């Protein structure tokens, strides 16, 4: 039988109102009384009715985390860190996957609003700004993570320095003697795609290596990269000795495709990814990669959202985290 506030009141000798206030840590109840009531509630197996609490306050203790692809280890790590942060402050994160689909993202935001989420962390598809407009209309605090709309000055965001990260990866390959360097990106729709391509271009320019768009290929994040199309591109740039990939998951696909074409990594081609998932997972091939400070990013976004929930008048914050290259088994000096 479910334990009710009335049962705890009868067991402790306090009123139902006092029990309710004590379990919600209201300051009008002395600490000694609160502790006594909480202990009794725990011993009796009381479970808080979250729906009733949200009905009274208009808010829940739930956070909606809207991410584009949970099959990507990068986002798995990000969500795990967000979950750890909010559980530490007594809140529960609810994950929603969008599959990089703008309509699914909009539905996810609608669901967050319907559930009276206290706040939203979202990595946007960036197909449009409909989700942002809906969040703003509903007055739910939100923070963008991993991607940003630079023109949206009123939106809080936490991203990494994508431009510098890609420039660092490209520069390291140049310093290792590579001149024919390809870039496999994710298009210029999302901010990280644009900025990583910009970093690649800037490093080439700095080294006075002419930019050649025949060495650039973009995949569609909305669907799994076509193996045939990727292999066709790699066949066309058979003289390339190094590749910078938009993400680690894409880098691993590239390595597999190169193997099918008879090209060895790193003996024939060096490959650098982006996300540094090898920091948390062991793979048969430990990938050279740019760290996007994913754990720090998740914690910063969580802390920022918690601040926005606590103070809706706090000014927008734009946080750009530094990146770092981690050379591993998939890169080598050009012989």
């Amino acid at each position: 039988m479910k334990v009710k506030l009335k049962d705890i009141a009868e067991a402790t000798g306090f009123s139902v109102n006092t029990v309710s206030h004590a379990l919600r840590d209201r300051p009008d109840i002395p600490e000694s009384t609160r502790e006594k009531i909480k202990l009794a509630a725990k011993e009796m197996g009381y479970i808080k009715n979250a729906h009733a609490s949200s009905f009274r306050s208009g808010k829940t203790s739930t956070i909606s985390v809207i991410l584009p692809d949970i099959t990507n280890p990068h986002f798995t790590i990000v969500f795990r860190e967000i979950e750890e942060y909010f559980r530490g402050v007594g809140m529960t994160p609810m994950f929603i996957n969008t599959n990089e689909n703008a309509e699914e993202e909009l539905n996810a935001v609608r669901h967050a609003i319907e559930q009276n989420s206290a706040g939203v962390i979202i990595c946007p598809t960036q197909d449009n700004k409909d989700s942002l407009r809906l969040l703003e209309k509903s007055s739910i605090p939100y923070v963008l993570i991993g991607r940003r709309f630079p023109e949206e000055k009123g939106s809080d965001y936490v991203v990494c320095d994508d431009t510098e990260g890609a420039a660092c990866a490209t520069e390291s390959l140049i310093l290792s003697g590579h001149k024919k360097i390809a870039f496999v990106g994710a298009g210029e729709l999302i901010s990280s795609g644009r900025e990583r391509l910009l970093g690649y271009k800037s490093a080439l320019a700095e080294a006075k290596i002419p930019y050649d768009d025949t060495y650039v290929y973009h995949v569609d994040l909305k669907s799994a990269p076509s193996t045939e199309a990727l292999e066709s591109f790699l066949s066309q740039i058979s003289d390339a000795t190094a590749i910078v990939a938009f993400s680690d998951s894409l880098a691993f696909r590239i390595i597999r495709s190169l193997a099918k074409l008879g090209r060895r990594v790193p003996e024939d081609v060096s490959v650098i990814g982006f996300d540094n998932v090898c920091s948390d997972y062991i793979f048969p091939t430990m990938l050279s990669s740019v760290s996007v400070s994913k754990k720090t990013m998740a914690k910063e976004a969580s802390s920022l959202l918690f601040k926005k929930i606590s103070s809706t008048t706090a000014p927008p914050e734009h946080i750009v985290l530094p990146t770092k290259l981690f050379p591993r088994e998939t890169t080598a000096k050009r012989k």
Side-chain angles (χ1 to χ4, degrees), residues 86-134:
F86 280 106
R87 288 197 185 282
V89 295
M91 305 184 82
T92 303
M94 173 181 66
F95 170 73
I96 310 175
N97 189 53
T98 67
N99 295 309
E100 292 284 4
N101 182 287
E103 187 58 36
E104 289 188 32
E105 178 182 279
L106 192 58
N107 287 334
V109 169
R110 290 192 183 107
H111 183 70
I113 295 170
E114 289 168 0
Q115 296 299 312
N116 285 330
S117 292
V120 172
I121 292 178
I122 180 171
C123 181
T125 64
Q126 300 198 296
D127 268 356
N128 53 55
K129 300 177 184 177
D130 294 350
S131 295
L132 266 63
R133 300 289 86 88
L134 184 56

Side-chain angles (χ1 to χ4, degrees), residues 250-325:
L250 185 52
F252 282 121
R253 288 180 178 272
I254 291 168
I255 291 171
R256 183 180 179 185
S257 293
L258 286 169
K260 291 176 69 175
L261 294 171
R263 306 187 72 191
R264 301 166 300 167
V265 174
E267 292 85 354
D268 301 321
V269 185
S270 288
V271 178
I272 295 180
F274 224 103
D275 291 338
N276 194 32
V277 296
C278 287
S279 63
D280 287 68
Y281 298 103
I282 302 298
F283 293 91
T285 300
M286 295 301 283
L287 182 71
S288 296
S289 183
V290 176
S291 171
V292 297
S293 306
K294 50 195 172 298
K295 292 184 179 180
T296 303
M297 184 188 298
K299 290 175 183 176
E300 289 282 354
S302 300
S303 176
L304 181 52
L305 180 62
F306 191 65
K307 183 192 300 184
K308 301 295 289 186
I309 293 170
S310 304
S311 175
T312 55
T313 59
E317 292 188 42
H318 302 155
I319 300 174
V320 180
L321 301 172
T323 54
K324 182 179 179 181
L325 176 64

Side-chain angles (χ1 to χ4, degrees), residues 35-87:
E35 292 304 315
K36 181 178 180 180
I37 290 172
K38 285 182 179 181
L39 179 60
K42 182 178 180 181
E43 292 175 346
M44 295 171 70
Y46 173 73
I47 298 175
K48 181 180 178 181
N49 187 328
H51 289 292
S53 298
S54 64
F55 181 78
R56 288 190 296 269
S57 66
K59 290 184 178 180
T60 67
S61 59
T62 300
I63 299 298
S64 291
V65 184
I66 303 173
L67 300 176
D69 182 11
I70 196 59
T71 64
N72 186 331
H74 167 73
F75 289 115
T76 304
I77 296 167
V78 166
F79 177 72
R80 188 173 65 200
E81 292 299 319
I82 293 173
E83 181 180 42
E84 182 177 333
Y85 177 91
F86 280 106
R87 288 197 185 282

